[in-house]
């Protein structure tokens, strides 16, 4: 007798793993929640892998919890190692210390990368600007070592602040900047300092950066400028600059000046980068004067998100986002009020989403 073979059908199930990237969202003050919501609308309309963990910080968190940087949020960043941050209020003259500066210290985000590109061509802007400012992010006058000295009953007769710069900190940021320049096919680095006056504080920065630069000779042109001259040269002929490497305070001031060359703070992103954590943000502040009016420009935070996409090695998505922003600003002429247009935050955001969707159609 022959036995019929038993046949078994095995149904193979396709198992697909969806890659997710957890990101801590820092909501911020003033226009912070508005531009963060607009940015999320855009990113959620793209095929990104982000999973959001949203927290309040800054003045609103301080009023609610007594701390501008709630511990729960810091714990979350310790896990995600990646954050997208809206601007945070820092009281002027007194009050709590800047939560933004504390974040940079807490996660040793020693490099602040601030790229600037011309998007809008107008008589008020410079054409063809494509430069990157790299700012040391944890040392210098930002260390917050300052006090008043009372004299003759005046408790604030004298104010004294210390800037602190270390050779290892200078070497760390210089190596980052030179590596960044080579990796991104840049041609020149300008080291910006005030070593003629602050001979120790910024002299050490210049000396160390030049020393690090020797390893890159032949691959990059290296020069140095005194900060005041650099500020003037940026206005006269910004295209002479490619990558600027500078200290914490000078970087803060020059990056706002550079934003002014391309149309203002609404177009200026930044990345705070450490060895294992990165926080991306707009370089502008909370813009209290326009908060709640629905007219804030979310482009800086959107461009910061494009930097975040590059950071997680999604360059195609980053380019798609930048192209959609460029198309809306340049071809559709839809611009917020700060850029001379009349679009609200929501009209502008919807236009970017339309562009993103039409480029996939
Ligand atoms: P700001 O950058 O908030 O505003 C300067 C000017 O630019 C204002 O006229 C504002 O309306 C305009 N502006 C800024 N961003 C804009 C946008 N996205 N769309 C349209 N217009 C925009 O600078 P300000 O007034 O010196 O600082 C306000 C607060 O922000 C302060 O508490 C400061 O400490 C904080 N701040 C926070 C930063 C951060 O969290 N990274 C950075 C800079 C300031």
């Amino acid at each position: 007798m022959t036995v019929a073979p038993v046949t078994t059908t095995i149904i193979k199930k396709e198992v697909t793993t969806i890659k997710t990237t957890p990101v801590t969202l820092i909501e911020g003050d003033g226009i912070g929640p508005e531009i963060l919501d607009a940015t999320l609308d855009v990113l959620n309309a793209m095929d990104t892998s982000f999973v959001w963990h949203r927290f309040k910080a800054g003045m609103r968190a301080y009023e609610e919890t007594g701390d501008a940087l709630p511990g729960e949020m810091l714990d979350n960043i310790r896990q995600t190692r990646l954050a997208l941050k809206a601007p945070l209020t820092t009281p002027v003259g007194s009050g709590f210390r800047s939560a933004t500066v504390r974040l940079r210290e807490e996660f040793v985000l020693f490099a602040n990368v601030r790229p600037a590109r011309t998007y809008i061509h107008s008589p008020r802007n410079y054409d063809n600007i494509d430069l990157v400012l790299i700012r040391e992010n944890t040392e210098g006058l930002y260390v917050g070592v300052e006090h008043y000295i009372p004299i003759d009953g005046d408790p604030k007769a004298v104010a004294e602040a210390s800037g602190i710069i270390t050779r290892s900190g200078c070497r760390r940021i210089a190596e980052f900047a030179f590596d960044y320049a080579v990796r991104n096919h840049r041609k020149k680095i300008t080291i910006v300092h005030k070593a003629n006056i602050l001979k120790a504080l910024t002299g050490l920065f210049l000396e160390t950066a030049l020393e690090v630069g020797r390893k890159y000779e032949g691959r990059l042109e290296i020069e140095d400028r005194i900060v005041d001259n650099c500020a003037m040269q940026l206005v006269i002929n910004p295209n002479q600059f490619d990558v600027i490497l500078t200290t914490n305070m000078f970087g803060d001031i020059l990056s706002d000046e550079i934003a002014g060359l391309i149309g203002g703070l609404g177009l200026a992103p930044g990345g705070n980068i450490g060895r294992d954590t990165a926080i991306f943000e707009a370089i502008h502040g909370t813009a209290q004067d326009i908060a709640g009016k629905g007219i804030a420009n979310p482009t800086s935070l959107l461009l910061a998100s494009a930097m975040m996409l590059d950071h997680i090695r999604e360059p195609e998505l980053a380019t798609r986002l930048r192209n959609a922003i460029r198309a809306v600003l340049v071809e559709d002429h839809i611009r917020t009020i700060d850029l001379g247009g009349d679009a609200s935050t929501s009209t502008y955001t919807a236009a970017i989403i339309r562009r993103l969707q039409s480029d996939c159609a």
Side-chain angles (χ1 to χ4, degrees), residues 31 85-90 100 265-266 281-287 289-290 296-297 338:
I31 61 169
K85 172 185 163 293
L88 309 176
T89 295
T90 306
T100 300
L265 287 169
E281 64 180 343
I283 78 165
H284 60 71
T286 53
D289 50 339
I290 58 166
N297 183 355
D338 57 307

mmCIF file with all atom_site columns, all heavy atoms in Angstrom, residues 31 85-90 100 265-266 281-287 289-290 296-297 338, ligand 1:
data_model
loop_
_atom_site.group_PDB
_atom_site.id
_atom_site.type_symbol
_atom_site.label_atom_id
_atom_site.label_alt_id
_atom_site.label_comp_id
_atom_site.label_asym_id
_atom_site.label_entity_id
_atom_site.label_seq_id
_atom_site.pdbx_PDB_ins_code
_atom_site.Cartn_x
_atom_site.Cartn_y
_atom_site.Cartn_z
_atom_site.occupancy
_atom_site.B_iso_or_equiv
_atom_site.pdbx_formal_charge
_atom_site.auth_seq_id
_atom_site.auth_comp_id
_atom_site.auth_asym_id
_atom_site.auth_atom_id
_atom_site.pdbx_PDB_model_num
ATOM   1   N N   . ILE A 1 31  ? 6.655  82.529 21.435 1.00 0.00 ? 31  ILE A N   1
ATOM   2   C CA  . ILE A 1 31  ? 6.213  81.887 20.185 1.00 0.00 ? 31  ILE A CA  1
ATOM   3   C C   . ILE A 1 31  ? 6.599  80.407 20.138 1.00 0.00 ? 31  ILE A C   1
ATOM   4   O O   . ILE A 1 31  ? 6.263  79.717 19.171 1.00 0.00 ? 31  ILE A O   1
ATOM   5   C CB  . ILE A 1 31  ? 6.782  82.599 18.924 1.00 0.00 ? 31  ILE A CB  1
ATOM   6   C CG1 . ILE A 1 31  ? 8.328  82.555 18.914 1.00 0.00 ? 31  ILE A CG1 1
ATOM   7   C CG2 . ILE A 1 31  ? 6.254  84.019 18.806 1.00 0.00 ? 31  ILE A CG2 1
ATOM   8   C CD1 . ILE A 1 31  ? 8.953  82.987 17.581 1.00 0.00 ? 31  ILE A CD1 1
ATOM   9   N N   . LYS A 1 85  ? 14.191 71.806 20.243 1.00 0.00 ? 85  LYS A N   1
ATOM   10  C CA  . LYS A 1 85  ? 13.903 72.759 21.316 1.00 0.00 ? 85  LYS A CA  1
ATOM   11  C C   . LYS A 1 85  ? 13.386 74.081 20.766 1.00 0.00 ? 85  LYS A C   1
ATOM   12  O O   . LYS A 1 85  ? 14.001 74.677 19.890 1.00 0.00 ? 85  LYS A O   1
ATOM   13  C CB  . LYS A 1 85  ? 15.197 72.992 22.104 1.00 0.00 ? 85  LYS A CB  1
ATOM   14  C CG  . LYS A 1 85  ? 15.132 74.072 23.123 1.00 0.00 ? 85  LYS A CG  1
ATOM   15  C CD  . LYS A 1 85  ? 16.511 74.290 23.750 1.00 0.00 ? 85  LYS A CD  1
ATOM   16  C CE  . LYS A 1 85  ? 16.562 75.607 24.466 1.00 0.00 ? 85  LYS A CE  1
ATOM   17  N NZ  . LYS A 1 85  ? 16.466 76.774 23.580 1.00 0.00 ? 85  LYS A NZ  1
ATOM   18  N N   . ALA A 1 86  ? 12.276 74.542 21.337 1.00 0.00 ? 86  ALA A N   1
ATOM   19  C CA  . ALA A 1 86  ? 11.785 75.887 21.037 1.00 0.00 ? 86  ALA A CA  1
ATOM   20  C C   . ALA A 1 86  ? 12.484 76.860 21.995 1.00 0.00 ? 86  ALA A C   1
ATOM   21  O O   . ALA A 1 86  ? 13.045 76.440 23.008 1.00 0.00 ? 86  ALA A O   1
ATOM   22  C CB  . ALA A 1 86  ? 10.271 75.921 21.214 1.00 0.00 ? 86  ALA A CB  1
ATOM   23  N N   . PRO A 1 87  ? 12.443 78.165 21.690 1.00 0.00 ? 87  PRO A N   1
ATOM   24  C CA  . PRO A 1 87  ? 13.167 79.122 22.549 1.00 0.00 ? 87  PRO A CA  1
ATOM   25  C C   . PRO A 1 87  ? 12.591 79.238 23.956 1.00 0.00 ? 87  PRO A C   1
ATOM   26  O O   . PRO A 1 87  ? 11.381 79.090 24.157 1.00 0.00 ? 87  PRO A O   1
ATOM   27  C CB  . PRO A 1 87  ? 13.033 80.453 21.802 1.00 0.00 ? 87  PRO A CB  1
ATOM   28  C CG  . PRO A 1 87  ? 11.975 80.263 20.789 1.00 0.00 ? 87  PRO A CG  1
ATOM   29  C CD  . PRO A 1 87  ? 11.869 78.805 20.500 1.00 0.00 ? 87  PRO A CD  1
ATOM   30  N N   . LEU A 1 88  ? 13.457 79.514 24.920 1.00 0.00 ? 88  LEU A N   1
ATOM   31  C CA  . LEU A 1 88  ? 13.084 79.616 26.334 1.00 0.00 ? 88  LEU A CA  1
ATOM   32  C C   . LEU A 1 88  ? 13.393 81.015 26.852 1.00 0.00 ? 88  LEU A C   1
ATOM   33  O O   . LEU A 1 88  ? 14.452 81.568 26.548 1.00 0.00 ? 88  LEU A O   1
ATOM   34  C CB  . LEU A 1 88  ? 13.887 78.603 27.164 1.00 0.00 ? 88  LEU A CB  1
ATOM   35  C CG  . LEU A 1 88  ? 13.888 77.145 26.679 1.00 0.00 ? 88  LEU A CG  1
ATOM   36  C CD1 . LEU A 1 88  ? 14.814 76.306 27.554 1.00 0.00 ? 88  LEU A CD1 1
ATOM   37  C CD2 . LEU A 1 88  ? 12.479 76.575 26.717 1.00 0.00 ? 88  LEU A CD2 1
ATOM   38  N N   . THR A 1 89  ? 12.491 81.557 27.632 1.00 0.00 ? 89  THR A N   1
ATOM   39  C CA  . THR A 1 89  ? 12.710 82.878 28.230 1.00 0.00 ? 89  THR A CA  1
ATOM   40  C C   . THR A 1 89  ? 13.778 82.814 29.318 1.00 0.00 ? 89  THR A C   1
ATOM   41  O O   . THR A 1 89  ? 13.786 81.895 30.138 1.00 0.00 ? 89  THR A O   1
ATOM   42  C CB  . THR A 1 89  ? 11.405 83.386 28.874 1.00 0.00 ? 89  THR A CB  1
ATOM   43  O OG1 . THR A 1 89  ? 10.451 83.581 27.843 1.00 0.00 ? 89  THR A OG1 1
ATOM   44  C CG2 . THR A 1 89  ? 11.609 84.695 29.621 1.00 0.00 ? 89  THR A CG2 1
ATOM   45  N N   . THR A 1 90  ? 14.661 83.814 29.311 1.00 0.00 ? 90  THR A N   1
ATOM   46  C CA  . THR A 1 90  ? 15.576 84.004 30.438 1.00 0.00 ? 90  THR A CA  1
ATOM   47  C C   . THR A 1 90  ? 15.346 85.407 30.972 1.00 0.00 ? 90  THR A C   1
ATOM   48  O O   . THR A 1 90  ? 15.443 86.374 30.204 1.00 0.00 ? 90  THR A O   1
ATOM   49  C CB  . THR A 1 90  ? 17.055 83.889 29.984 1.00 0.00 ? 90  THR A CB  1
ATOM   50  O OG1 . THR A 1 90  ? 17.230 82.648 29.316 1.00 0.00 ? 90  THR A OG1 1
ATOM   51  C CG2 . THR A 1 90  ? 18.000 83.961 31.172 1.00 0.00 ? 90  THR A CG2 1
ATOM   52  N N   . THR A 1 100 ? 18.607 77.432 28.646 1.00 0.00 ? 100 THR A N   1
ATOM   53  C CA  . THR A 1 100 ? 19.286 77.007 27.410 1.00 0.00 ? 100 THR A CA  1
ATOM   54  C C   . THR A 1 100 ? 20.764 76.743 27.690 1.00 0.00 ? 100 THR A C   1
ATOM   55  O O   . THR A 1 100 ? 21.326 75.723 27.274 1.00 0.00 ? 100 THR A O   1
ATOM   56  C CB  . THR A 1 100 ? 19.123 78.100 26.327 1.00 0.00 ? 100 THR A CB  1
ATOM   57  O OG1 . THR A 1 100 ? 17.733 78.288 26.091 1.00 0.00 ? 100 THR A OG1 1
ATOM   58  C CG2 . THR A 1 100 ? 19.811 77.715 25.041 1.00 0.00 ? 100 THR A CG2 1
ATOM   59  N N   . LEU A 1 265 ? 16.162 86.738 11.849 1.00 0.00 ? 265 LEU A N   1
ATOM   60  C CA  . LEU A 1 265 ? 16.225 85.598 12.768 1.00 0.00 ? 265 LEU A CA  1
ATOM   61  C C   . LEU A 1 265 ? 15.250 84.481 12.393 1.00 0.00 ? 265 LEU A C   1
ATOM   62  O O   . LEU A 1 265 ? 15.394 83.348 12.839 1.00 0.00 ? 265 LEU A O   1
ATOM   63  C CB  . LEU A 1 265 ? 15.934 86.076 14.190 1.00 0.00 ? 265 LEU A CB  1
ATOM   64  C CG  . LEU A 1 265 ? 17.060 86.873 14.854 1.00 0.00 ? 265 LEU A CG  1
ATOM   65  C CD1 . LEU A 1 265 ? 16.565 87.519 16.145 1.00 0.00 ? 265 LEU A CD1 1
ATOM   66  C CD2 . LEU A 1 265 ? 18.255 85.977 15.133 1.00 0.00 ? 265 LEU A CD2 1
ATOM   67  N N   . GLY A 1 266 ? 14.258 84.805 11.571 1.00 0.00 ? 266 GLY A N   1
ATOM   68  C CA  . GLY A 1 266 ? 13.289 83.785 11.165 1.00 0.00 ? 266 GLY A CA  1
ATOM   69  C C   . GLY A 1 266 ? 13.858 82.726 10.242 1.00 0.00 ? 266 GLY A C   1
ATOM   70  O O   . GLY A 1 266 ? 13.176 81.759 9.898  1.00 0.00 ? 266 GLY A O   1
ATOM   71  N N   . GLU A 1 281 ? 17.688 73.663 17.512 1.00 0.00 ? 281 GLU A N   1
ATOM   72  C CA  . GLU A 1 281 ? 16.816 74.785 17.895 1.00 0.00 ? 281 GLU A CA  1
ATOM   73  C C   . GLU A 1 281 ? 16.929 75.902 16.865 1.00 0.00 ? 281 GLU A C   1
ATOM   74  O O   . GLU A 1 281 ? 17.839 75.921 16.037 1.00 0.00 ? 281 GLU A O   1
ATOM   75  C CB  . GLU A 1 281 ? 17.213 75.317 19.275 1.00 0.00 ? 281 GLU A CB  1
ATOM   76  C CG  . GLU A 1 281 ? 18.607 75.902 19.325 1.00 0.00 ? 281 GLU A CG  1
ATOM   77  C CD  . GLU A 1 281 ? 19.016 76.428 20.695 1.00 0.00 ? 281 GLU A CD  1
ATOM   78  O OE1 . GLU A 1 281 ? 18.153 76.650 21.552 1.00 0.00 ? 281 GLU A OE1 1
ATOM   79  O OE2 . GLU A 1 281 ? 20.233 76.634 20.887 1.00 0.00 ? 281 GLU A OE2 1
ATOM   80  N N   . ALA A 1 282 ? 15.980 76.841 16.942 1.00 0.00 ? 282 ALA A N   1
ATOM   81  C CA  . ALA A 1 282 ? 16.123 78.103 16.222 1.00 0.00 ? 282 ALA A CA  1
ATOM   82  C C   . ALA A 1 282 ? 17.095 78.947 17.022 1.00 0.00 ? 282 ALA A C   1
ATOM   83  O O   . ALA A 1 282 ? 17.155 78.824 18.239 1.00 0.00 ? 282 ALA A O   1
ATOM   84  C CB  . ALA A 1 282 ? 14.765 78.796 16.156 1.00 0.00 ? 282 ALA A CB  1
ATOM   85  N N   . ILE A 1 283 ? 17.843 79.836 16.345 1.00 0.00 ? 283 ILE A N   1
ATOM   86  C CA  . ILE A 1 283 ? 18.787 80.618 17.158 1.00 0.00 ? 283 ILE A CA  1
ATOM   87  C C   . ILE A 1 283 ? 18.098 81.814 17.812 1.00 0.00 ? 283 ILE A C   1
ATOM   88  O O   . ILE A 1 283 ? 18.633 82.438 18.703 1.00 0.00 ? 283 ILE A O   1
ATOM   89  C CB  . ILE A 1 283 ? 20.044 81.077 16.365 1.00 0.00 ? 283 ILE A CB  1
ATOM   90  C CG1 . ILE A 1 283 ? 19.763 82.274 15.454 1.00 0.00 ? 283 ILE A CG1 1
ATOM   91  C CG2 . ILE A 1 283 ? 20.666 79.947 15.590 1.00 0.00 ? 283 ILE A CG2 1
ATOM   92  C CD1 . ILE A 1 283 ? 21.049 82.941 14.963 1.00 0.00 ? 283 ILE A CD1 1
ATOM   93  N N   . HIS A 1 284 ? 16.880 82.130 17.358 1.00 0.00 ? 284 HIS A N   1
ATOM   94  C CA  . HIS A 1 284 ? 16.211 83.307 17.921 1.00 0.00 ? 284 HIS A CA  1
ATOM   95  C C   . HIS A 1 284 ? 15.601 83.000 19.293 1.00 0.00 ? 284 HIS A C   1
ATOM   96  O O   . HIS A 1 284 ? 15.578 81.865 19.761 1.00 0.00 ? 284 HIS A O   1
ATOM   97  C CB  . HIS A 1 284 ? 15.136 83.824 16.962 1.00 0.00 ? 284 HIS A CB  1
ATOM   98  C CG  . HIS A 1 284 ? 14.054 82.837 16.645 1.00 0.00 ? 284 HIS A CG  1
ATOM   99  N ND1 . HIS A 1 284 ? 13.105 82.466 17.553 1.00 0.00 ? 284 HIS A ND1 1
ATOM   100 C CD2 . HIS A 1 284 ? 13.773 82.156 15.503 1.00 0.00 ? 284 HIS A CD2 1
ATOM   101 C CE1 . HIS A 1 284 ? 12.278 81.596 16.986 1.00 0.00 ? 284 HIS A CE1 1
ATOM   102 N NE2 . HIS A 1 284 ? 12.664 81.379 15.747 1.00 0.00 ? 284 HIS A NE2 1
ATOM   103 N N   . GLY A 1 285 ? 15.065 84.060 19.907 1.00 0.00 ? 285 GLY A N   1
ATOM   104 C CA  . GLY A 1 285 ? 14.454 83.924 21.217 1.00 0.00 ? 285 GLY A CA  1
ATOM   105 C C   . GLY A 1 285 ? 12.946 83.759 21.135 1.00 0.00 ? 285 GLY A C   1
ATOM   106 O O   . GLY A 1 285 ? 12.404 83.355 20.092 1.00 0.00 ? 285 GLY A O   1
ATOM   107 N N   . THR A 1 286 ? 12.289 84.106 22.227 1.00 0.00 ? 286 THR A N   1
ATOM   108 C CA  . THR A 1 286 ? 10.865 83.793 22.367 1.00 0.00 ? 286 THR A CA  1
ATOM   109 C C   . THR A 1 286 ? 9.938  84.812 21.689 1.00 0.00 ? 286 THR A C   1
ATOM   110 O O   . THR A 1 286 ? 8.719  84.631 21.694 1.00 0.00 ? 286 THR A O   1
ATOM   111 C CB  . THR A 1 286 ? 10.503 83.735 23.865 1.00 0.00 ? 286 THR A CB  1
ATOM   112 O OG1 . THR A 1 286 ? 10.955 84.963 24.480 1.00 0.00 ? 286 THR A OG1 1
ATOM   113 C CG2 . THR A 1 286 ? 11.190 82.584 24.562 1.00 0.00 ? 286 THR A CG2 1
ATOM   114 N N   . ALA A 1 287 ? 10.503 85.897 21.157 1.00 0.00 ? 287 ALA A N   1
ATOM   115 C CA  . ALA A 1 287 ? 9.760  86.916 20.392 1.00 0.00 ? 287 ALA A CA  1
ATOM   116 C C   . ALA A 1 287 ? 8.433  87.262 21.079 1.00 0.00 ? 287 ALA A C   1
ATOM   117 O O   . ALA A 1 287 ? 7.366  87.156 20.476 1.00 0.00 ? 287 ALA A O   1
ATOM   118 C CB  . ALA A 1 287 ? 9.533  86.438 18.955 1.00 0.00 ? 287 ALA A CB  1
ATOM   119 N N   . ASP A 1 289 ? 7.042  89.949 21.626 1.00 0.00 ? 289 ASP A N   1
ATOM   120 C CA  . ASP A 1 289 ? 6.256  91.006 20.975 1.00 0.00 ? 289 ASP A CA  1
ATOM   121 C C   . ASP A 1 289 ? 5.230  90.464 19.986 1.00 0.00 ? 289 ASP A C   1
ATOM   122 O O   . ASP A 1 289 ? 4.255  91.140 19.675 1.00 0.00 ? 289 ASP A O   1
ATOM   123 C CB  . ASP A 1 289 ? 7.197  92.032 20.288 1.00 0.00 ? 289 ASP A CB  1
ATOM   124 C CG  . ASP A 1 289 ? 8.251  91.395 19.387 1.00 0.00 ? 289 ASP A CG  1
ATOM   125 O OD1 . ASP A 1 289 ? 8.552  90.201 19.571 1.00 0.00 ? 289 ASP A OD1 1
ATOM   126 O OD2 . ASP A 1 289 ? 8.775  92.094 18.495 1.00 0.00 ? 289 ASP A OD2 1
ATOM   127 N N   . ILE A 1 290 ? 5.443  89.242 19.480 1.00 0.00 ? 290 ILE A N   1
ATOM   128 C CA  . ILE A 1 290 ? 4.474  88.706 18.506 1.00 0.00 ? 290 ILE A CA  1
ATOM   129 C C   . ILE A 1 290 ? 3.830  87.394 18.989 1.00 0.00 ? 290 ILE A C   1
ATOM   130 O O   . ILE A 1 290 ? 3.053  86.782 18.257 1.00 0.00 ? 290 ILE A O   1
ATOM   131 C CB  . ILE A 1 290 ? 5.129  88.486 17.115 1.00 0.00 ? 290 ILE A CB  1
ATOM   132 C CG1 . ILE A 1 290 ? 6.334  87.535 17.222 1.00 0.00 ? 290 ILE A CG1 1
ATOM   133 C CG2 . ILE A 1 290 ? 5.535  89.810 16.489 1.00 0.00 ? 290 ILE A CG2 1
ATOM   134 C CD1 . ILE A 1 290 ? 6.791  87.019 15.858 1.00 0.00 ? 290 ILE A CD1 1
ATOM   135 N N   . ALA A 1 296 ? 4.172  84.214 13.814 1.00 0.00 ? 296 ALA A N   1
ATOM   136 C CA  . ALA A 1 296 ? 5.594  83.850 13.952 1.00 0.00 ? 296 ALA A CA  1
ATOM   137 C C   . ALA A 1 296 ? 6.051  83.036 12.747 1.00 0.00 ? 296 ALA A C   1
ATOM   138 O O   . ALA A 1 296 ? 5.293  82.249 12.182 1.00 0.00 ? 296 ALA A O   1
ATOM   139 C CB  . ALA A 1 296 ? 5.794  83.041 15.228 1.00 0.00 ? 296 ALA A CB  1
ATOM   140 N N   . ASN A 1 297 ? 7.299  83.228 12.406 1.00 0.00 ? 297 ASN A N   1
ATOM   141 C CA  . ASN A 1 297 ? 7.902  82.490 11.292 1.00 0.00 ? 297 ASN A CA  1
ATOM   142 C C   . ASN A 1 297 ? 8.518  81.195 11.846 1.00 0.00 ? 297 ASN A C   1
ATOM   143 O O   . ASN A 1 297 ? 9.462  81.259 12.636 1.00 0.00 ? 297 ASN A O   1
ATOM   144 C CB  . ASN A 1 297 ? 8.979  83.379 10.657 1.00 0.00 ? 297 ASN A CB  1
ATOM   145 C CG  . ASN A 1 297 ? 9.619  82.732 9.454  1.00 0.00 ? 297 ASN A CG  1
ATOM   146 O OD1 . ASN A 1 297 ? 9.331  81.580 9.135  1.00 0.00 ? 297 ASN A OD1 1
ATOM   147 N ND2 . ASN A 1 297 ? 10.488 83.466 8.788  1.00 0.00 ? 297 ASN A ND2 1
ATOM   148 N N   . ASP A 1 338 ? 7.690  88.982 9.071  1.00 0.00 ? 338 ASP A N   1
ATOM   149 C CA  . ASP A 1 338 ? 9.089  89.361 9.302  1.00 0.00 ? 338 ASP A CA  1
ATOM   150 C C   . ASP A 1 338 ? 9.901  89.333 8.011  1.00 0.00 ? 338 ASP A C   1
ATOM   151 O O   . ASP A 1 338 ? 10.937 89.974 7.914  1.00 0.00 ? 338 ASP A O   1
ATOM   152 C CB  . ASP A 1 338 ? 9.733  88.434 10.348 1.00 0.00 ? 338 ASP A CB  1
ATOM   153 C CG  . ASP A 1 338 ? 9.649  86.971 9.935  1.00 0.00 ? 338 ASP A CG  1
ATOM   154 O OD1 . ASP A 1 338 ? 8.534  86.496 9.633  1.00 0.00 ? 338 ASP A OD1 1
ATOM   155 O OD2 . ASP A 1 338 ? 10.696 86.299 9.896  1.00 0.00 ? 338 ASP A OD2 1
HETATM 156 P P1  . LIG B 2 .   ? 14.129 87.462 20.025 1.00 0.00 ? 1   LIG B P1  1
HETATM 157 O O1  . LIG B 2 .   ? 14.960 86.633 19.103 1.00 0.00 ? 1   LIG B O1  1
HETATM 158 O O2  . LIG B 2 .   ? 13.079 86.765 20.771 1.00 0.00 ? 1   LIG B O2  1
HETATM 159 O O3  . LIG B 2 .   ? 13.433 88.640 19.179 1.00 0.00 ? 1   LIG B O3  1
HETATM 160 C C1  . LIG B 2 .   ? 14.161 89.623 18.448 1.00 0.00 ? 1   LIG B C1  1
HETATM 161 C C2  . LIG B 2 .   ? 13.260 90.192 17.341 1.00 0.00 ? 1   LIG B C2  1
HETATM 162 O O4  . LIG B 2 .   ? 13.146 89.214 16.293 1.00 0.00 ? 1   LIG B O4  1
HETATM 163 C C3  . LIG B 2 .   ? 11.836 90.477 17.820 1.00 0.00 ? 1   LIG B C3  1
HETATM 164 O O5  . LIG B 2 .   ? 11.362 91.634 17.164 1.00 0.00 ? 1   LIG B O5  1
HETATM 165 C C4  . LIG B 2 .   ? 11.026 89.267 17.345 1.00 0.00 ? 1   LIG B C4  1
HETATM 166 O O6  . LIG B 2 .   ? 9.675  89.530 17.078 1.00 0.00 ? 1   LIG B O6  1
HETATM 167 C C5  . LIG B 2 .   ? 11.788 88.867 16.073 1.00 0.00 ? 1   LIG B C5  1
HETATM 168 N N1  . LIG B 2 .   ? 11.703 87.409 15.854 1.00 0.00 ? 1   LIG B N1  1
HETATM 169 C C6  . LIG B 2 .   ? 12.446 86.453 16.467 1.00 0.00 ? 1   LIG B C6  1
HETATM 170 N N2  . LIG B 2 .   ? 12.101 85.256 16.039 1.00 0.00 ? 1   LIG B N2  1
HETATM 171 C C7  . LIG B 2 .   ? 11.103 85.432 15.141 1.00 0.00 ? 1   LIG B C7  1
HETATM 172 C C8  . LIG B 2 .   ? 10.318 84.544 14.357 1.00 0.00 ? 1   LIG B C8  1
HETATM 173 N N3  . LIG B 2 .   ? 10.493 83.204 14.416 1.00 0.00 ? 1   LIG B N3  1
HETATM 174 N N4  . LIG B 2 .   ? 9.360  85.051 13.558 1.00 0.00 ? 1   LIG B N4  1
HETATM 175 C C9  . LIG B 2 .   ? 9.176  86.388 13.466 1.00 0.00 ? 1   LIG B C9  1
HETATM 176 N N5  . LIG B 2 .   ? 9.901  87.282 14.182 1.00 0.00 ? 1   LIG B N5  1
HETATM 177 C C10 . LIG B 2 .   ? 10.855 86.803 15.016 1.00 0.00 ? 1   LIG B C10 1
HETATM 178 O O7  . LIG B 2 .   ? 15.166 88.192 20.985 1.00 0.00 ? 1   LIG B O7  1
HETATM 179 P P2  . LIG B 2 .   ? 14.971 88.929 22.383 1.00 0.00 ? 1   LIG B P2  1
HETATM 180 O O8  . LIG B 2 .   ? 13.758 89.782 22.333 1.00 0.00 ? 1   LIG B O8  1
HETATM 181 O O9  . LIG B 2 .   ? 16.276 89.537 22.635 1.00 0.00 ? 1   LIG B O9  1
HETATM 182 O O10 . LIG B 2 .   ? 14.776 87.746 23.456 1.00 0.00 ? 1   LIG B O10 1
HETATM 183 C C11 . LIG B 2 .   ? 13.521 87.354 24.001 1.00 0.00 ? 1   LIG B C11 1
HETATM 184 C C12 . LIG B 2 .   ? 13.724 86.217 24.970 1.00 0.00 ? 1   LIG B C12 1
HETATM 185 O O11 . LIG B 2 .   ? 14.226 85.063 24.297 1.00 0.00 ? 1   LIG B O11 1
HETATM 186 C C13 . LIG B 2 .   ? 14.679 86.499 26.137 1.00 0.00 ? 1   LIG B C13 1
HETATM 187 O O12 . LIG B 2 .   ? 14.119 85.967 27.314 1.00 0.00 ? 1   LIG B O12 1
HETATM 188 C C14 . LIG B 2 .   ? 15.920 85.722 25.761 1.00 0.00 ? 1   LIG B C14 1
HETATM 189 O O13 . LIG B 2 .   ? 16.655 85.312 26.869 1.00 0.00 ? 1   LIG B O13 1
HETATM 190 C C15 . LIG B 2 .   ? 15.319 84.543 25.031 1.00 0.00 ? 1   LIG B C15 1
HETATM 191 N N6  . LIG B 2 .   ? 16.234 83.881 24.086 1.00 0.00 ? 1   LIG B N6  1
HETATM 192 C C16 . LIG B 2 .   ? 16.206 82.531 24.039 1.00 0.00 ? 1   LIG B C16 1
HETATM 193 C C17 . LIG B 2 .   ? 16.993 81.846 23.158 1.00 0.00 ? 1   LIG B C17 1
HETATM 194 C C18 . LIG B 2 .   ? 16.946 80.346 23.147 1.00 0.00 ? 1   LIG B C18 1
HETATM 195 O O14 . LIG B 2 .   ? 16.123 79.749 23.822 1.00 0.00 ? 1   LIG B O14 1
HETATM 196 N N7  . LIG B 2 .   ? 17.796 79.700 22.375 1.00 0.00 ? 1   LIG B N7  1
HETATM 197 C C19 . LIG B 2 .   ? 17.904 82.557 22.221 1.00 0.00 ? 1   LIG B C19 1
HETATM 198 C C20 . LIG B 2 .   ? 17.799 83.987 22.304 1.00 0.00 ? 1   LIG B C20 1
HETATM 199 C C21 . LIG B 2 .   ? 17.002 84.630 23.223 1.00 0.00 ? 1   LIG B C21 1
#
